[in-house]
Amino acid sequence: MLAAALLAAGNAFAQDSVAGADYAAVAGIDSRLAVWIAAQLHLMFAAFVLAVPMFALFIEYLGWRAERTDRVEARRYDWLAHEMASLLPVAYSLTAITGALLGFLLFAAYPKVMRHLTGVFGPTFVVYPLFFIAETLCLYFWYYGWRRWQGDAKWFHIVLGLLLNIFGTIVMFIADAWATYMMTPAGVNESGALVRLYDAVWNPGWMPLNVHRLVANVTFGALLCSAYAAYRLLLSDNARERALYDWMGYTGNLIALFTMLFLPFAGYYFGFELFAFSATYGVTLMGGVLSWLFIIQAIVIAVLFVGAAYYSWLGLLRIPGSEAQQRWSPVFNVLLIAGFAVWATPHTMAASIEESTGGFHPVLGALGVMAPKMIAVTLVLVVLYSSYLLYRRAGRVPVVAWASTGTRVEWGLVGLMALTIASLGVYGYFAPAHIRIKTSIWQIYVLIGGIAVTFALDQALLRGARTIAAVRWGTMPRRGQYVLVLLAAVIVWLMGLMGYARSGARLNWHVFGILEDTSAEAGLPSLGEAALVITLITAVFFALLGVAFAIAGLAHGTDERTLAEISPEAGLRGDTR
C-alpha cells in the first residue's frame, strides 16, 4: 500500500543523479533513466485520468440540464460525455501499472531520498491511498453505472462524478506537496527533520503548482480526447458517426483552446513563486544552463497555439457562407507568428565575437526581456479568442434589436483590450522592476476581464440568433483531423520538456538546500539527451495510449438507431458554439 501511495511522487525525481555508489542500478539499467521514464509516463496517464472526468462531467451536466427542453440535445451531450469517459478504464489501469513500477524503482534506486521523504510526509502516505481507493471506486461506479442511473436517477450519477473529481483532485494535491517540497522545502529544520507537517505540505510552490497542473491537465486531456475523436472519424465510413466524432473533436479542441488562454499565466505564477523562494532558480531557468530550453518551449508552444487556431479556421469550411470570417485567417496567422517570434527571441545571440563577450544584441536585445514577451504572448491569446468569436458568428445572424450597436461595442472592447495590454507592457518596459511585475499582472487581469465581458455580450447578442447556414459536421477536410493528432503529440512532448525543466532547476539537489546529490556523476542531462529521452517517452506513451484507444473502440459503439437520433450531420438543433 505504501508503494501505491507514492505513485505520483516520481515526477519530482525525474532528474536525480546517474546511478552511482549511493544509487544502485535496477536490473542493470541506469537508475535515473529508469525513474525518469517511469515517472513521466505515470504523470502523463495521471494527468489524463484526472482531467477527462472534469470536462466529461461538465458535458454530462449540460445534457442533464437540457433534458426538459430538448431531449435530442440532452442525449447528444450524454453520448459525448460517455464517449470521453470510455477512455478512462484502460487509461486508469495504465496509470496504476506505471505508478507501481515507479514506486518499486524509487525504493530500489533511491532509498536515502525515500527515507527522508517518508520521515517528512509519513502521515500523508497513510491518507493518500484512502483517497486513491475512493477515487477508483467512484470512477468505476460512475462509468459502468452510466446506463443504469439515467432519468430520475441521473442526479445520483452526477454526484458520483463530482465525488470522483473531488477525490482525484485531492490525490493530485497530496502528490504535488511531495514534488514541490523538493523544490521549495518548508516545515523542516536545517538538518531536514520535520518541524511542522502543515508547512511542509503548504510550501511556497504547492498552490502555484496545483493551479498550473489543473489548467495544464485539462488542456492535455482535452487534446488527447480530440485525437481519439480524429482517430475514430478517420476510421469510420458512416456519415452520421463521422459527424458525431467531428463534433467531439471540435468540443475537445474548444476546451483546450479556452484553457490554453490561461495556461501561460498559471506557469508565470509558479515561476514567480520559485524565483521569490530562491534567486538561483531564476538564474538557472532564465539565464543559466536551462535558458535555451525556453527558446525550444516557445517554438513548441507556438506550434500548439497556431495548430489550435488553424483547426478553428478550418472549421469555418464546415459552414457555408463563412467567407467573411475566413478572410481574417491570414491576418491572424501573421499576428500569431509575429507574436511568437518576439516570445522566442533571446536577450543575447552570440553571432559575433563582440556579442559573445556578454553585450546585448543591438536589435534583438530589446525584445529579449520579459516586458515585450508579456505583450506578445498576451496579444497572441487575444488573437486566439478573436478567432473563436468569429467562428461563433459564422452562419448566424443576431436578431436582437441592438445587434448592430452591440457588435460594434463588442469588437471595440476587444480592440481596447489589446491596446490596454500593449500600453501596460510598454509602460512596464521603461518602469522599475517592481512596477514591471505589477504591469504584467495587470495585463492578465485585463485579458481575463475583457474575455468575461465580451463573451457575456456575445452570448446576449447571439441569443435566439437566426441560423442561415447550419454547421455541416463531418465535412471538415482530413487535414483537420491530422492537426488534432499533431496537437496531442505536441502537448505530450511539451509536458515532458517542462517536467525536465522543473526537476532540472534543482541542479544537484534532491531536496533543494537540504539533501544534496553527492554522487560522482551528479548533474543534469544535456538538452540534447533530454530531447531524445522525452521523444522516447512520447513514443511509448502514444503506443500505450493507442492500445487504450483500440480497446475503447472495441468495447464501445453506437447503434444505427441512436446515431440517426442524435447525429448532428444535418446541423445541431441548438448551435453549441
Side-chain angles (χ1 to χ4, degrees), residues 3 17 67 214 271 291 302 346 355 363 379 382 473 476 478 509 514:
S17 71
E67 185 72 30
L214 278 175
S291 57
E355 293 167 17
V363 177
L379 291 181
V382 173
W473 298 102
M476 174 182 276
R478 292 177 69 89
W509 292 95
I514 294 177

Side-chain angles (χ1 to χ4, degrees), residues 468-534:
I468 58 176
V471 181
R472 298 181 301 182
W473 298 102
T475 62
M476 174 182 276
R478 292 177 69 89
R479 63 181 181 272
Q481 312 310 317
Y482 300 142
V483 169
L484 291 180
V485 175
L486 172 65
L487 291 176
V490 169
I491 193 68
V492 170
W493 200 89
L494 179 62
M495 179 176 281
L497 181 72
M498 299 319 295
Y500 165 79
R502 183 183 58 77
S503 294
R506 289 182 285 113
L507 297 175
N508 61 317
W509 292 95
H510 294 304
V511 178
F512 188 77
I514 294 177
L515 186 61
E516 187 176 4
D517 179 358
T518 57
S519 63
E521 300 180 8
L524 286 178
S526 68
L527 193 55
E529 179 187 350
L532 290 175
V533 174
I534 293 166

Side-chain angles (χ1 to χ4, degrees), residues 6-25:
L6 294 169
L7 296 183
N11 59 81
F13 303 100
Q15 309 305 329
D16 282 342
S17 71
V18 177
D22 295 331
Y23 310 107

Side-chain angles (χ1 to χ4, degrees), residues 393-400 461-469 577:
R393 188 60 62 91
R396 304 165 79 185
V397 177
V399 295
V400 294
L461 278 168
L462 294 179
R463 184 175 292 113
R466 179 165 53 90
T467 300
I468 58 176
R577 288 178 282 168

Side-chain angles (χ1 to χ4, degrees), residues 19 64 67-69 91 132 134 164-165 174 292 309 356 438 500:
W64 183 45
E67 185 72 30
R68 296 179 181 177
T69 57
F132 184 79
L164 164 63
N165 282 285
I174 295 174
W292 273 96
S356 66
K438 290 182 179 180
Y500 165 79

Side-chain angles (χ1 to χ4, degrees), residues 212 215 258-272 297 301 305 340 343 370 374 377-378 380-381 444 447:
H212 182 55
V215 178
F258 257 88
T259 51
M260 277 194 293
L261 293 177
F262 306 103
L263 189 54
F265 306 125
Y268 288 150
Y269 175 36
F270 183 48
F272 286 150
Q297 179 218 40
I301 292 179
F305 279 38
F340 282 112
W343 197 16
M370 200 61 207
M374 192 69 183
V377 71
T378 312
V380 160
L381 300 178
I444 298 172
L447 177 71

